[in-house]
Amino acid sequence: MAENGLRDKVLSLDSMNPWVKRVEYAVRGPILARAVELEEELRQGVKKPFTEVIKANIGDAHAMGQRPITFLRQVSALCLYPELLSEPLFPDDAKQRARRLLAACGGQSVGAYTASHGIEIIRQDVARYIERRDGGIPANPDNIYLSTGASDAVMTMLKLLVSGEGRSRTGVMIPIPQYPLYSAGIAELNAVQVNYYLDEEHCWALDVGELRRALRQARGHCQPRALCVINPGNPTGQVQSRKCIEDVIKFAWEEQLFLMADEVYQDNVYAEGAEFHSFKKVLFELGPKYSSVVELVSFHSISKGFMGECGFRGGYMEVVNLDPAVQQQLAKLVSVRLCPPVPGQVLLDVVMNPPKPGEPSYQSFIREKQAVLSDLAHKAQLTQEIFSQVPGICSSPVQGAMYSYPRIQIPARAVQDAQARGFAPDMFFCLQLLEETGICVVPGSGFGQREGTYHFRMTILPHVEKLRTLLKKLSQFYAKFTQEYS
């Protein structure tokens, strides 16, 4: 009992799960919290040096003004409100998709539970999509699990992989810089984060020599079992070459590592000469020596690509060469959450099974899809062009995904000032940027970076003119910041 007679809380910081306290998620961290406060202050009439807060901290396409793809929303609307099936406003191919999906739902309603690993016909459509993408390499619907976005699937696989204590604790190899889902999940599950560094001087390439260094060092204090690769990269925007992927697969085979391929940005490739190669396709093209042995899980999502449907929370994972007994445990694990959101499953199906040539919606669908992707390619080039003109900012080309991850020079006096205030230097820079310009970006310390280097991540999603304004203001602020502290 407390001195004042009140009972102590059953759940307190001292009694709660200690691993949860280690979890950090930079893209929705203190920078965003302050951005939200500034928005409220602006609404209340508080005078600021800016008139709006631009949240460039997260890859949320629709929040940045991207219009939904019409066909995706038409089928979703029809499934959510089947009475619309009698409306002439909707094209016949959208109605056909909706009727097929509704027939696969309990009571022909998206309000019913589905199978825990997702509606069967949607998993079949996902398998056919994978086969088309990979040039005919077979995909088994029984190895496909629909999920609440890719994040949920990543956490599910980490739960299966993590075990042991002391030096037998599972080590999970992740790229640095990395997407904070991985560091957060590893912390939550009390696994060991094993960092391997991407090569910034070569457009954030993945070097197998660095993988060997990280693995060798980690084996002194944990048991590395999984290797995560994000391709195209987040936050770095690189697209790994086919040769790189071959080397990574061979490395995983040699070292008996479970491969986790985060491929949610596979539609987002912009740079001339860059091409997305799925890990599964390369694995099978390497032949049975590897394709019959290497354990692989790959992830995809409707939140990115040309869709940007983050709020629907739809995605899938495909497992390859998983032990049948473990696959039974996976089925049990996903059943605990009953099923992924059904509207997300529906929208995923339309992405996997889009309008075909000759169908009423084909031309408009292709036009809208290409418009989104060409706009992103233009914005990737614009970002690179503007940053390349700013002394002290070094930005690798944005080859893919939705982000720029520039390296910035921070004067020694600014570093000292930041440390005196208890901030990482790049966090200090990003906070100052937010307070003076209203631009919200995320410090590189939230993603990981080599010691002594400083970065920030920003999305390229804002409309072109707003992005141009953002880049101009950011560049001007950086010049002012460095001059004041030099």
Side-chain angles (χ1 to χ4, degrees):
M1 299 287 285
E3 291 182 6
N4 58 7
L6 297 175
R7 294 200 318 180
D8 292 334
K9 295 287 187 183
V10 173
L11 182 61
S12 67
L13 281 175
D14 291 332
S15 66
M16 70 175 284
N17 183 339
W19 314 125
V20 172
K21 288 189 283 187
R22 295 168 52 201
V23 171
E24 295 183 0
Y25 191 64
V27 296
R28 289 181 181 263
I31 288 280
L32 178 61
R34 180 55 185 150
V36 171
E37 290 175 356
L38 287 171
E39 283 184 319
E40 182 58 30
E41 290 175 16
L42 285 172
R43 278 192 291 269
Q44 293 174 0
V46 178
K47 296 297 182 184
K48 299 288 179 184
F50 47 88
T51 57
E52 68 170 331
V53 173
I54 302 177
K55 294 177 182 172
N57 62 300
I58 195 167
D60 191 347
H62 292 184
M64 286 290 182
Q66 179 179 310
R67 292 179 60 83
I69 301 296
T70 302
F71 188 75
L72 305 186
R73 289 299 183 88
Q74 286 175 331
V75 177
S76 299
L78 290 165
C79 288
L80 288 166
Y81 193 61
E83 285 80 356
L84 293 174
L85 286 164
S86 61
E87 290 291 329
L89 172 67
F90 292 84
D92 288 342
D93 49 351
K95 292 178 179 179
Q96 180 269 328
R97 298 288 199 290
R99 290 190 180 101
R100 176 173 176 263
L101 290 165
L102 287 169
C105 296
Q108 297 200 18
S109 171
V110 293
Y113 288 129
T114 72
S116 297
H117 51 326
I119 295 172
E120 183 176 0
I121 64 165
I122 298 180
R123 291 185 290 107
Q124 292 170 353
D125 287 344
V126 172
R128 282 189 282 268
Y129 162 83
I130 293 170
E131 289 175 0
R132 291 195 305 272
R133 182 197 68 188
D134 292 345
I137 293 169
N140 184 348
D142 292 338
N143 292 334
I144 292 165
Y145 297 79
L146 308 190
S147 58
T148 309
S151 302
D152 180 56
V154 169
M155 288 301 298
T156 297
M157 290 308 302
L158 286 175
K159 287 176 183 176
L160 287 173
L161 282 157
V162 171
S163 66
E165 297 180 357
R167 292 183 62 176
S168 69
R169 281 167 67 201
T170 294
V172 181
M173 301 181 69
I174 64 172
I176 298 297
Q178 54 102 23
Y179 179 54
L181 165 69
Y182 292 93
S183 56
I186 291 166
E188 181 181 339
L189 297 171
N190 193 28
V192 179
Q193 177 176 317
V194 177
N195 297 338
Y196 67 89
Y197 290 90
L198 301 177
D199 185 354
E200 184 172 9
E201 302 307 317
H202 293 89
C203 205
W204 300 108
L206 196 165
D207 176 57
V208 172
E210 169 62 11
L211 290 180
R212 295 192 191 284
R213 178 209 62 79
L215 183 68
R216 184 171 59 250
Q217 185 173 324
R219 281 181 170 156
H221 62 272
C222 69
Q223 181 61 49
R225 302 177 68 203
L227 169 59
C228 301
V229 180
I230 307 173
N231 182 52
N234 177 11
T236 47
Q238 88 286 356
V239 179
Q240 301 294 0
S241 69
R242 181 192 170 89
K243 174 65 165 58
C244 169
I245 294 171
E246 289 179 358
D247 290 345
V248 170
I249 290 170
K250 291 174 181 178
F251 172 78
W253 177 82
E254 291 168 9
E255 301 294 348
Q256 288 190 275
L257 294 170
F258 192 109
L259 264 176
M260 301 178 67
D262 183 332
E263 299 175 333
V264 303
Y265 294 99
Q266 59 189 259
D267 289 310
N268 302 108
V269 177
Y270 319 120
E272 186 175 347
E275 183 180 355
F276 170 75
H277 301 279
S278 79
F279 266 79
K280 184 188 176 187
K281 182 174 188 286
V282 176
L283 172 63
F284 276 80
E285 289 179 346
L286 283 174
K289 175 181 177 180
Y290 301 99
S291 63
S292 63
V293 176
V294 173
E295 296 155 85
L296 168 71
V297 59
S298 55
F299 307 97
H300 196 14
S301 167
I302 60 173
S303 298
K304 308 303 176 185
F306 62 93
M307 306 81 70
E309 294 283 7
C310 305
F312 274 83
R313 309 309 301 131
Y316 74 80
M317 63 179 172
E318 181 189 22
V319 295
V320 175
N321 291 325
L322 199 62
D323 185 304
V326 173
Q327 197 151 349
Q328 289 181 359
Q329 296 298 312
L330 172 58
K332 178 182 70 176
L333 190 56
V334 299
S335 72
V336 172
R337 296 189 181 181
L338 295 176
C339 70
V342 183
Q345 294 188 50
V346 164
L347 206 144
L348 172 67
D349 184 80
V350 189
V351 174
M352 301 289 103
N353 182 27
K356 298 175 178 61
E359 292 185 335
S361 301
Y362 177 75
Q363 292 296 336
S364 59
F365 173 81
I366 293 297
R367 184 170 59 252
E368 291 180 31
K369 173 182 176 179
Q370 291 177 343
V372 170
L373 293 175
S374 63
D375 186 53
L376 284 168
H378 172 61
K379 290 188 284 193
Q381 184 178 6
L382 175 67
T383 302
Q384 171 66 17
E385 287 175 357
I386 292 180
F387 278 151
S388 67
Q389 298 170 11
V390 183
I393 296 182
C394 179
S395 177
S396 296
V398 181
Q399 296 180 318
M402 298 176 172
Y403 314 99
S404 177
Y405 193 69
R407 184 172 75 234
I408 54 174
Q409 295 178 15
I410 297 182
R413 281 187 56 232
V415 172
Q416 293 168 1
D417 198 355
Q419 292 170 343
R421 301 186 194 197
F423 293 118
D426 47 11
M427 171 66 87
F428 179 67
F429 170 81
C430 290
L431 284 170
Q432 297 276 80
L433 173 69
L434 177 62
E435 295 290 345
E436 294 193 27
T437 68
I439 296 171
C440 178
V441 299
V442 189
S445 49
F447 301 92
Q449 54 198 346
R450 286 192 181 274
E451 188 174 350
T453 67
Y454 307 108
H455 301 76
F456 64 84
R457 188 194 81 163
M458 57 161 281
T459 181
I460 63 170
L461 286 171
H463 284 306
V464 171
E465 287 312 310
K466 182 171 283 191
L467 178 63
R468 194 184 300 275
T469 299
L470 182 158
L471 293 168
K472 182 179 178 181
K473 285 185 174 180
L474 197 157
S475 301
Q476 290 172 342
F477 171 81
Y478 176 75
K480 175 173 170 285
F481 177 86
T482 53
Q483 185 175 11
E484 289 178 352
Y485 279 100
S486 60

